[in-house]
Each structure stands twice: as structure tokens, then as C-alpha cells.
Amino acid sequence: MRPLEAHINLANLRHNFQYLKSKHGNKTLAVIKANAYGHGSVQCAHALADLADGFAVACIEEALTLREAGVTLPIVLLEGVFENDEYALIEQHDLWPVVQNEAQLQGLLACNIQKPLTVWLKMDSGMHRAGFFPQDYADAFHRLQAAPQVAKIVKMTHFARADEPSVGMTEMQIAAFDAGCEGCEGEASMSNSAGILDFPAAHRDWGRAGLALYGLSPMPEADANLKPVMTFKTKVFGVRELAAGEVIGYGSIFKTEKPTRIGLIAVGYADGYPRLASNDSPVSIDGKPSRIIGRVSMDMTMVELNDAAQGIGSDVELWGENVSANAVAAVAGTISYEILCNVKRARFVYQD
Ligand SMILES: *Cc1c(COP(=O)(O)O)cnc(C)c1O
């Protein structure tokens, strides 16, 4: 059996949720869109069922997967509705759609449902991706408030740069949100992980914790209170010894400077390990730091074995307890969000 495994530590997930909820105060959604950032949405939802105040996913398909698995807490659909025939299922399964533009608002006002819904009305407070402009927000709010299809409105917005605390953008977005909400009574939600961790002024009725829930800080510096949930690991299944001056792998991008023992490991970009994290990316071999050498290929990759005790069967952690997914993402020129979501073809092992 190929030894590539993603170990998912559900106790760490629960710990991180409790930490984030205590930081934010009030209610907190666990954001488990994109299969819980690659961790398994059903398993994560069950592990958080007695702690979370609700869940957030991207779309109705993700929500129905959770409902079919017996998840009963509220579920927010962060992208809202794509086709108006989704409202029947939204009503049946008590889902909470975001309404982020005029087309979605009109679809809701035209839909035929018996039980009024909770909707999350999104404001574009500066990110300019989705949401009503601040000057149009109160009008949208009052139209929804008057609609028979609507029971409750939660006001929301999303931050563009809360992971860059010194740039001033988040303060600007908070001010724009508060100004645009004037005259609109009710609960509000602003903070993603970075807002929860770094912007107390953005703590409102509902936090929305994503990345940090999985133990990774979105901020430039790590947060010692967060514990990694996924450990992505494999084993050495081949060893060769090369003299100085030999090249290895596709493109010969690595050349040995000294006699070198090389371990072949079972992971590649087809598993979601980023190809751009080739030469020099950090790994941990039997608990000791080492690195990838040569180019990551589709199914296999090479590592440097620094220790005579390391060989076939040695454990190689790609990220997790010893190697931060943020460090791997940095070498690959991306963010840990992306590399976590990309994990595939591995065996998932859930631990309490
Ligand atoms: C994904 C998402 C979140 C979670 O963001 P993190 O940075 O992962 O905490 C929160 N709110 C919305 C609207 C999102 O799309």
C-alpha cells in the first residue's frame, strides 16, 4: 500500500475552534467549505458539532453533503444561490444563503417558499469582489426586511487584507461597513480568521473561522495557540548514494556538492504537493529537519538523508507538527490555503 497519508487530528481542530471562539466572543461559524480546506468536511463537522454555532460552505452542494451526513447545525452558503430552484432545498434543509448582489436579491424576492429564511446580506466594504456597495446597502436591507420570504437578516462583509495588519485597509473597511449599516438593525459578521486574531473592532455577533481552525495562522507570524490539524506524511521507499557532482531528477536542477544519500519518497504534485516547492523545501525525516532536492515529480520526490539511520521505511513529514504548511507554501510562492485544499490521492486517517 502506498504510504501517503493525511492524518487529521480532530482534537486539535476542537482546540483551535475553542481558542478562536474565545478570541472572537459571541457566536462563531466553522468555515468548512472546499471539503474543510481539504481536511474532510463531514468528519470536521461531526467533530465540531457540540462546539460550533454553525458552519459555512461555499454552495448548496457542499451543504447537502453535510445534511445527508446528519449535520443539523445552521449552514451558511457563502456564495449564495446560483439558480433559483435551489430555494426549495434551502427551505427544506434550513440553509442560510448569503445575498450578495441584485440578481440574487431579486431571485429571493421572487421565490415561492412557505417558511421564511435567515439570510446573510453582504456588503462590499472595499474588497470589490462581492456584496452591495455601502450606499446601496440599506435599501437592499429594507427590501429584504419587508419580504415574506425573509425571517432574519445578518449583516456581513469580508476583509481583503486583514492578514496584513499594518496597511490600514481593515480599519477602512470596518468604518465603511458601520456607515453603510446605519439604520439597519440586527446581527452582524465581519471577521475571517485574521479578523478574529487581530482586529477586536471587527468582532461582532458572528465570527467566521477558516484557515486558523486548521491550525495555520493567516498572519505573517505564527500563533502558538494554534495547533496543526493535518499532518501530511509518507515514507522513504528507495535509497541511492551519489558521489559529488551528480545531478538528479527532471531538469537536473540539483547537483550534489558532496557524497549524498538520497531518499525516494511517495508523494508528488498529483497528490497536491506543490511542484514549485522543489529544491530546498523543508521536510522532516524521522523527526529531523531535511529538505527536498531536485524537482517534485508527479508521483515521486527525492529528499536528502542526513543521517545513517534514515533509509527505506523512514517517515517523512511534508507538513504538520514539525513543518508548517505556511513554510512549504512560502517556497512554492502560494498560501497554505491552496496547498491544504489540493491534497488528494492520500489515505485520510482521523484521530480524536
Ligand atoms: C473563506 C471565507 C472565510 C474564512 O476565511 P479564513 O481566512 O480562512 O478564515 C470567511 N468568510 C468568507 C466570506 C469566506 O469566503
Side-chain angles (χ1 to χ4, degrees), residues 121-125 132-142 145 153-157 173-190 204-205:
L121 181 62
K122 188 165 188 169
M123 187 194 295
D124 175 4
S125 57
F132 290 84
F133 289 133
Q135 65 271 23
D136 301 329
Y137 191 79
D139 176 61
F141 184 94
H142 291 118
Q145 206 173 33
I153 306 169
V154 178
K155 297 165 284 175
M156 75 172 289
T157 194
Q173 287 194 260
I174 295 171
F177 181 75
D178 287 338
C181 284
E182 222 157 278
C184 307
E185 292 301 315
E187 293 181 352
S189 174
M190 305 189 84
R204 303 294 167 97
D205 301 281

Side-chain angles (χ1 to χ4, degrees), residues 118-297:
T118 294
V119 301
W120 285 46
L121 181 62
K122 188 165 188 169
M123 187 194 295
D124 175 4
S125 57
M127 182 164 179
H128 298 343
R129 182 177 68 171
F132 290 84
F133 289 133
Q135 65 271 23
D136 301 329
Y137 191 79
D139 176 61
F141 184 94
H142 291 118
R143 284 160 69 205
L144 284 178
Q145 206 173 33
Q149 294 93 338
V150 175
K152 174 177 167 178
I153 306 169
V154 178
K155 297 165 284 175
M156 75 172 289
T157 194
H158 192 52
F159 295 135
R161 301 184 72 178
D163 53 345
E164 300 172 275
S166 55
V167 297
M169 174 94 181
T170 304
E171 291 82 348
M172 188 279 283
Q173 287 194 260
I174 295 171
F177 181 75
D178 287 338
C181 284
E182 222 157 278
C184 307
E185 292 301 315
E187 293 181 352
S189 174
M190 305 189 84
S191 289
N192 55 0
S193 295
I196 292 172
L197 291 170
D198 245 53
F199 288 94
H203 296 172
R204 303 294 167 97
D205 301 281
W206 293 87
R208 307 189 304 268
L211 186 74
L213 190 55
Y214 307 100
L216 287 149
S217 172
M219 314 307 291
E221 63 287 338
D223 183 323
N225 293 298
L226 297 173
K227 300 183 182 176
V229 175
M230 181 191 292
T231 299
F232 193 34
K233 60 187 209 174
T234 187
K235 285 187 190 291
V236 173
F237 72 109
V239 176
R240 67 191 58 233
E241 304 194 13
L242 292 181
E246 299 287 339
V247 293
I248 65 167
Y250 284 122
S252 304
I253 65 169
F254 181 84
K255 188 175 196 174
T256 53
E257 284 176 356
K258 53 178 170 51
T260 304
R261 287 182 78 230
I262 293 165
L264 179 65
I265 65 172
V267 70
Y269 57 78
D271 305 299
Y273 192 89
R275 180 174 174 278
L276 290 175
S278 288
N279 259 354
D280 274 341
S281 298
V283 296
S284 169
I285 307 181
D286 291 337
K288 295 189 179 145
S290 184
R291 57 179 180 151
I292 284 174
I293 52 180
R295 196 163 263 164
V296 171
S297 41

Side-chain angles (χ1 to χ4, degrees), residues 83-100:
E83 291 171 341
N84 293 332
D85 61 6
E86 292 170 27
Y87 280 112
L89 286 166
I90 285 177
E91 179 184 31
Q92 183 188 336
H93 292 285
D94 189 24
L95 307 175
W96 296 357
V98 165
V99 173
Q100 58 92 9

